[in-house]
Amino acid sequence: MKAKINELRQLDANEMREKVDAMEKELYNLRYQASTSQVEKPHRIKEIRREIAVYKTLIREKELANAKR
């Protein structure tokens, strides 16, 4: 995961926001499927939530770094 985070830090904040939006849409769809008992990979919900948290944390880091300049 360490190498992945270092790679993600190279991305632009706008790119990260776009990925967060896409993951939030996927999470919404998975939650809908889970409520109707049709989800094939229930563990994916937890994975997406964690990925969103990582991206949002990195976006916030970039915002704080820009504010210090």
Side-chain angles (χ1 to χ4, degrees):
M1 187 70 174
K2 186 76 170 175
K4 183 178 177 184
I5 291 175
N6 288 331
E7 292 172 7
L8 293 177
R9 282 194 171 110
Q10 303 300 320
L11 295 176
D12 185 55
N14 291 328
E15 293 175 20
M16 284 193 251
R17 285 187 188 99
E18 289 174 6
K19 290 188 181 208
V20 168
D21 288 341
M23 286 187 286
E24 286 177 342
K25 288 178 185 176
E26 183 179 356
L27 181 61
Y28 174 81
N29 290 331
L30 286 173
R31 284 183 175 160
Y32 180 78
Q33 290 175 1
S35 69
T36 60
S37 302
Q38 295 178 350
V39 67
E40 293 179 13
K41 300 178 183 178
H43 66 278
R44 186 72 179 129
I45 295 171
K46 186 175 182 179
E47 290 174 356
I48 292 176
R49 287 181 57 217
R50 287 187 179 179
E51 286 180 36
I52 290 171
V54 168
Y55 276 96
K56 286 186 175 183
T57 301
L58 293 174
I59 290 170
R60 183 68 178 148
E61 282 180 4
K62 287 186 181 280
E63 288 173 353
L64 292 175
N66 290 337
K68 289 182 180 179
R69 292 182 185 176

